[in-house]
Amino acid sequence: MTLSENCPPNMSLSTKRGSKGTGLQSKRTEKQSTLCLQQMNVDPSDDQALEKASGNRTAPHQDSGSKPTVTKKRKQPTECFLSQPEEKQERTLKAKRRKKKKISDILEKSALKPGVPADLQNLLSQHFGENRSVIEIEELKLSDSCFLPANDLTHSFSSYLKEICPKWAKLRKNHKEKKSVVMLVICSSALRSLELIKSMTAFKGDCRVLKLFAKHIKIKEQVTMLEKGVFHIGVGTPGRVKALMEQDGLCLNSTKYMILDWNWRDQKLRRMMDIPEIKRETIDLLEMSIIQLCREGSMKLGLF
């Protein structure tokens, strides 16, 4: 007998195969259920026992379903702030402290004022007032009679010298001493000394000018020049003039005028007394013998 004879005409091969598969699956499920009942010691013919077994199976599912589901709360991410180390904070504080106003920044905004004798008097009193007794301070004071008229910032160097020294031609002719000059000009640098020497051509005439600074000139050369020749004007820095006086190369007994380049300012807008080194050397030079000569009346101070 063939498959076509047993099956009805409308049924295909695929449907036949599907019916066989469903039959096998049902047989497998029946076997599994019987095995479970045997493990639970339940008779498959007893209907009441079957109902209890099915109830026990579904009960835990119902209990578990009746409990409310507890949702775990997620922890919110906490913000963390990184604190700067102490070293960095100290560095930033130091950097802030360093940003202080300079003298040049202050002077750029302020109007330039000409120097007056009171400026030098106050400077000397502040300098000597720290370490000197009252009697010593009185001996180092300069009265107004020790000063020449100050520059009001309208003069050139030659015109200022002509104003304070109208009898220069006579003084120049009478000066014949070696190791000394009639006029001593003190400024802050060698370059400034050269500028002043060039700017006094209208005043000096044929008098001899000696460079008294350390740049490219040895102190021995200056000592020999002072010993052999006669010079009328000396222009230089306070440090070199002080060194020459200490070595007895320069004597100020016949010096009549001492001019301080007081009002001139460098590229950083500093005057000669604003530079600590020049200030200290100038005060030391004044203390050596110039203050005493001015108090005696043999020398006059001028602020250019």
Side-chain angles (χ1 to χ4, degrees), residues 141-148 252-258 289-301:
K141 277 186 178 180
L142 292 169
S143 61
D144 293 337
S145 61
C146 299
F147 290 90
L148 295 164
L252 301 180
N253 290 330
S254 61
T255 303
K256 302 298 180 183
Y257 304 99
M258 179 176 176
S289 60
I290 292 168
I291 291 175
Q292 185 179 353
L293 293 170
C294 291
R295 287 171 68 89
E296 291 172 358
S298 61
M299 186 187 290
K300 297 286 184 181
L301 279 172

Side-chain angles (χ1 to χ4, degrees), residues 29-261:
T29 52
E30 286 177 359
K31 287 180 180 180
Q32 288 176 356
S33 60
T34 51
L35 288 170
C36 291
L37 291 173
Q38 287 174 1
Q39 288 176 357
M40 296 173 68
N41 298 320
V42 178
D43 187 6
S45 60
D46 193 355
D47 295 333
Q48 291 180 355
L50 288 170
E51 286 178 2
K52 286 180 181 179
S54 62
N56 291 330
R57 285 180 186 178
T58 56
H61 293 290
Q62 288 178 0
D63 293 340
S64 62
S66 62
K67 289 181 181 179
T69 57
V70 178
T71 57
K72 293 183 180 179
K73 292 183 179 180
R74 293 182 180 179
K75 292 182 180 179
Q76 294 181 355
T78 56
E79 296 180 357
C80 61
F81 298 96
L82 296 173
S83 60
Q84 291 183 350
E86 293 180 358
E87 293 181 357
K88 290 184 179 179
Q89 290 178 358
E90 288 178 359
R91 287 177 185 174
T92 53
L93 288 171
K94 286 181 180 178
K96 288 179 181 177
R97 287 174 187 171
R98 286 175 187 171
K99 292 179 181 179
K100 291 182 180 179
K101 290 184 179 179
K102 298 179 181 179
I103 296 172
S104 58
D105 297 335
I106 296 167
L107 292 173
E108 281 179 358
K109 298 178 182 179
S110 62
L112 300 176
K113 295 180 181 180
V116 293
D119 295 337
L120 182 57
Q121 290 169 346
N122 294 331
L123 184 68
L124 292 174
S125 62
Q126 289 176 3
H127 180 77
F128 294 129
E130 296 177 356
N131 301 318
R132 304 299 175 89
S133 63
V134 178
I135 298 169
E136 289 175 342
I137 292 169
E138 288 293 330
E139 291 177 354
L140 294 169
K141 277 186 178 180
L142 292 169
S143 61
D144 293 337
S145 61
C146 299
F147 290 90
L148 295 164
N151 181 23
D152 57 356
L153 302 180
T154 59
H155 287 284
S156 65
F157 193 47
S158 292
S159 64
Y160 176 71
L161 295 177
K162 286 178 181 178
E163 182 183 349
I164 63 172
C165 186
K167 298 179 180 180
W168 174 250
K170 186 179 179 180
L171 289 170
R172 182 187 63 191
K173 287 178 182 179
N174 295 332
H175 179 67
K176 295 178 181 180
E177 294 183 14
K178 296 178 180 179
K179 289 188 178 183
S180 182
V181 291
V182 180
M183 182 180 291
L184 184 62
V185 182
I186 302 297
C187 52
S188 59
S189 65
L191 293 174
R192 178 59 179 166
S193 301
L194 295 173
E195 288 177 6
L196 291 175
I197 291 169
K198 289 178 182 178
S199 63
M200 65 168 66
T201 52
F203 170 77
K204 68 179 182 178
D206 58 350
C207 67
R208 299 184 69 185
V209 180
L210 181 61
K211 300 171 184 176
L212 301 176
F213 49 79
K215 192 172 184 179
H216 305 304
I217 304 172
K218 295 180 180 179
I219 193 168
K220 291 181 180 179
E221 295 176 3
Q222 292 169 341
V223 170
T224 54
M225 289 172 73
L226 285 165
E227 288 175 352
K228 293 179 180 180
V230 177
F231 292 90
H232 303 91
I233 301 173
V235 183
T237 56
R240 177 49 62 93
V241 173
K242 180 186 171 186
L244 287 167
M245 290 175 66
E246 289 174 349
Q247 294 186 15
D248 295 329
L250 179 64
C251 181
L252 301 180
N253 290 330
S254 61
T255 303
K256 302 298 180 183
Y257 304 99
M258 179 176 176
I259 311 301
L260 296 176
D261 189 24

